[in-house]
Amino acid sequence: MPRPLLRHNPLFLLLGLLPACLTWHEQQLPVQQVLAEEHPEVVRVTRQDQSHVVLAHPQLAADTLVGQLHGTPTAIPLSDVTSIALHKDSLPRTLGLFALFLSAGIVGIAAAACCGN
């Protein structure tokens, strides 16, 4: 009987978890410049009251940041935006996750060799 693919190759599990290694990176440039240079699909907006809003498909319309909030068109005046952040890979988290799975794999191999299962 064939064994499940994940049992043979735990790297498939690791590759499936790599998107979890994303984190928000706050941008130091003005909103207009970030949108023009990065063309992000999603941004996290920090407002004057320190609340956060995640907008999909952000665009500028005059002095307003517009996008989709849970599928609903949303507009935020630029005067209310203190910063925006982009969702990007986090190398330290990726390496940490890789090290965790590598360690678990080594322990699993050692246990299998020791116990003979």
Side-chain angles (χ1 to χ4, degrees):
M1 180 181 339
R3 293 183 178 182
L5 183 59
L6 289 179
R7 188 169 179 181
H8 286 298
N9 195 348
L11 287 178
F12 283 108
L13 181 59
L14 177 62
L15 290 173
L17 292 176
L18 285 179
C21 298
L22 296 173
T23 187
W24 290 107
H25 292 267
E26 194 165 306
Q27 303 299 295
Q28 302 304 315
L29 299 172
V31 174
Q32 299 89 329
Q33 189 173 348
V34 172
L35 294 179
E37 292 177 4
E38 298 288 335
H39 307 288
E41 286 294 315
V42 177
V43 296
R44 184 186 68 188
V45 178
T46 303
R47 302 175 82 160
Q48 292 286 343
D49 64 2
Q50 298 306 307
S51 65
H52 298 283
V53 176
V54 177
L55 288 181
H57 313 294
Q59 297 178 8
L60 286 177
D63 62 349
T64 304
L65 180 61
V66 296
Q68 299 282 319
L69 177 63
H70 306 294
T72 303
T74 303
I76 302 171
L78 286 179
S79 60
D80 192 30
V81 175
T82 59
S83 67
I84 65 169
L86 303 181
H87 220 199
K88 293 189 176 188
D89 293 330
S90 172
L91 183 59
R93 287 185 184 190
T94 302
L95 294 176
L97 184 62
F98 179 75
L100 176 69
F101 274 91
L102 183 61
S103 300
I106 291 170
V107 169
I109 290 169
C114 173
C115 300
N117 287 337

